[in-house]
Amino acid sequence: MLNSVAPGRYAHVVGWGSAVPERVLTNAEIESFVETNDAWIRERTGICERRIASPDDDTVSLGTRAARRALACADILPNQVDLIITATSTPARFFPATANLIQDRLGATRAGAFDLLAACTGFIYGLGLAAAQIRTGAINTAVVIGTETLSRIVDWQDRNTCILFGDGAGAFVLTASEVPGGVLDVVLHSDGSGGDLLTCHTGMRSFWLEEEASRDAIHMSGREVFRFASRVMVTATEEVLERCGLEPEDVSLVVPHQANIRIIEAAARGLKLPMEQFAVNIERYGNTSTASIPLAFEEAMQAERVHSNDYVVLVGFGAGLTWGAAVIQWAARPTRAIQLRAILQESWYILARVRSLFLRFLRFIGALIFRKSDTER
Ligand code: UT7
């Protein structure tokens, strides 16, 4: 994907952040309303608990928090951002895009913003698009966000799916640099013939039908998705490594989509890599779809598992069917004293809120004036 690039121009990940709701839902709690048990869920999926968004939270608020943390980590103010890509399967609304609302809350007034839907592979798709835009010279700085409230599209009576999913958000900030490395390459794939294996209808209804459309939930053929996932985690990783002239043993860390610990174990076996080289946090968050890779990545960074010049692979799969992988060659950034910048950033977000309210107020006044002049005509 990143073959035609401007020479000497690289796209580096310079900031990362995440946000999860406070409320924890344990396996034991799920036992109380659906026929399942903690032992089965742990053994078959590796999940112990997940986070569930409060009624006040949505993909916009979670995504905004993750993006703010990533920008603070990057020491970049929102007015330096050129592009915001939000990957989500659970947008708060059909439109405007979640990315537009996040852009407003960040006060990223110069940035273009759009959502993309590639289900759980969405973060890799977003990363690939942002890196390509940077490497071709079209933009300098991008924020890629994965944000989900899957708890709102889960059928809590369906034990095949309700045990798996959780809510959360994660974000990366990418910038252009002359330092070789960063996002080296990304492979993206799709096979829509498998679209029915993991699906959630929109609930839209035809003008010609009388019955009300019912709100839909996630439907999944678990075993088939499992087989597909175990295969493509390996093939996508091998493909992207080959394009970079690398072998699996060159990789220091694999950050896989967190869907099932057995899928990650199968990928480790397929790539002949030890499980210690995989970032895993599924036990605490379950499957957070587009947020799972940046969430696991942030934990790996906190644990200081990534060092200068390390090769890191991000790999994911999901509904669509979609799958993809990225290779990042890590470059060390000097850590700056960002205390002052943090205060500046907080003030920036307050001003962004005031600006947004002011623009809404101006629109309201404008509409009143137009209505008055219309009635006088
Ligand atoms: O981001 C992508 C999202 N999706 C995925 O990655 C999902 C991929 N698939 C999976 O992770 C696994 O297929 C599941 C976790 C969904 C299911 O695990 P499995 O080992 O494939 O179970 P299974 O569907 O083959 O079912 C085995 C048994 C069945 O009982 P019988 O027919 O053998 O009597 C199920 O009814 O386990 C039963 N079962 C459960 N039992 C207790 C299924 N779900 C549960 C449950 N609790 N929650």
Side-chain angles (χ1 to χ4, degrees):
M1 181 176 184
L2 299 181
N3 280 343
S4 333
V5 293
R9 202 175 153 88
Y10 300 89
H12 284 268
V13 176
V14 292
W16 47 92
S18 68
V20 289
E22 273 175 31
R23 175 69 163 89
V24 173
L25 182 71
T26 62
N27 291 346
E29 283 175 278
I30 297 183
E31 271 179 33
S32 69
F33 54 77
V34 73
E35 199 187 328
T36 188
N37 58 78
D38 178 49
W40 191 95
I41 302 172
R42 280 175 195 256
E43 193 183 310
R44 307 302 292 170
T45 70
I47 300 167
C48 304
E49 58 186 45
R50 68 289 290 142
R51 301 297 178 98
I52 304 294
S54 74
D56 299 334
D57 263 327
D58 60 13
T59 41
V60 177
S61 60
L62 289 171
T64 304
R65 290 213 299 269
R68 283 184 183 187
R69 285 177 190 153
L71 285 163
C73 170
D75 197 15
I76 281 177
L77 280 176
N79 66 340
Q80 293 169 258
V81 176
D82 301 305
L83 181 65
I84 298 171
I85 302 176
T86 299
T88 181
S89 305
T90 49
R93 314 180 197 178
F94 279 134
F95 51 83
T98 300
N100 300 130
L101 301 174
I102 293 176
Q103 172 266 320
D104 179 54
R105 292 201 188 176
L106 292 176
T109 48
R110 288 182 46 243
F114 69 95
D115 283 4
L116 74 78
L117 203 167
C120 305
T121 322
F123 195 79
I124 306 265
Y125 270 73
L127 184 74
L129 294 184
Q133 287 284 97
I134 289 172
R135 291 200 66 181
T136 57
I139 62 167
N140 283 321
T141 303
V143 180
V144 181
I145 304 161
T147 178
E148 303 288 358
T149 50
L150 292 155
S151 62
R152 293 180 188 168
I153 59 164
V154 156
D155 175 355
W156 287 103
Q157 301 305 312
D158 177 8
R159 69 176 186 173
N160 292 306
T161 53
C162 77
I163 55 153
L164 297 173
F165 298 101
D167 300 336
F172 276 7
V173 176
L174 287 94
T175 56
S177 165
E178 290 168 3
V179 177
V183 182
L184 296 185
D185 212 341
V186 182
V187 293
L188 304 174
H189 291 290
S190 163
D191 176 8
S193 72
D196 289 335
L197 296 179
L198 180 49
T199 185
C200 181
H201 289 275
T202 57
M204 286 193 284
R205 88 187 157 91
S206 163
F207 173 76
W208 307 107
L209 295 176
E210 292 199 345
E211 75 269 17
E212 282 294 313
S214 58
R215 206 177 140 266
D216 205 21
I218 297 176
H219 299 279
M220 184 176 69
S221 306
R223 283 181 208 179
E224 284 184 74
V225 175
F226 189 98
R227 275 198 299 275
F228 148 76
S230 304
R231 179 170 51 81
V232 299
M233 293 282 269
V234 177
T235 58
T237 303
E238 286 173 343
E239 183 188 352
V240 78
L241 286 174
E242 194 187 322
R243 286 168 62 106
C244 297
L246 298 169
E247 299 289 335
E249 54 268 27
D250 298 323
V251 175
S252 306
L253 183 73
V254 181
V255 186
H257 171 45
Q258 314 279 311
N260 187 320
I261 189 70
R262 291 186 295 135
I263 294 174
I264 300 173
E265 286 166 351
R269 280 194 302 276
L271 293 164
K272 299 188 177 59
L273 290 175
M275 271 301 278
E276 294 71 51
Q277 256 164 273
F278 284 70
V280 177
N281 65 0
I282 190 171
E283 67 281 3
R284 275 169 293 122
Y285 300 114
N287 179 348
T288 55
S289 188
T290 57
S292 87
I293 289 175
L295 259 172
F297 181 87
E298 192 193 24
E299 286 198 3
M301 290 304 291
Q302 276 166 357
E304 297 183 1
R305 294 180 68 184
V306 183
H307 307 100
S308 196
N309 286 321
D310 278 359
Y311 292 107
V312 179
V313 167
L314 314 184
V315 55
F317 64 91
L321 297 167
T322 54
W323 64 103
V327 179
I328 301 174
Q329 185 182 12
W330 200 252
R333 275 183 88 237
T335 39
R336 288 179 238 171
I338 55 171
Q339 201 64 32
L340 202 66
R341 186 62 85 104
I343 296 166
L344 190 61
Q345 262 165 345
E346 277 316 305
S347 322
W348 181 277
Y349 297 128
I350 294 166
L351 283 177
R353 195 80 194 124
V354 172
R355 179 184 175 276
S356 179
L357 288 172
F358 181 65
L359 288 177
R360 285 160 209 247
F361 176 71
L362 280 187
R363 259 183 220 112
F364 173 72
I365 297 291
L368 276 187
I369 293 168
F370 274 119
R371 202 176 304 156
K372 193 160 176 287
S373 59
D374 274 356
T375 45
E376 281 169 2
R377 233 183 276 146

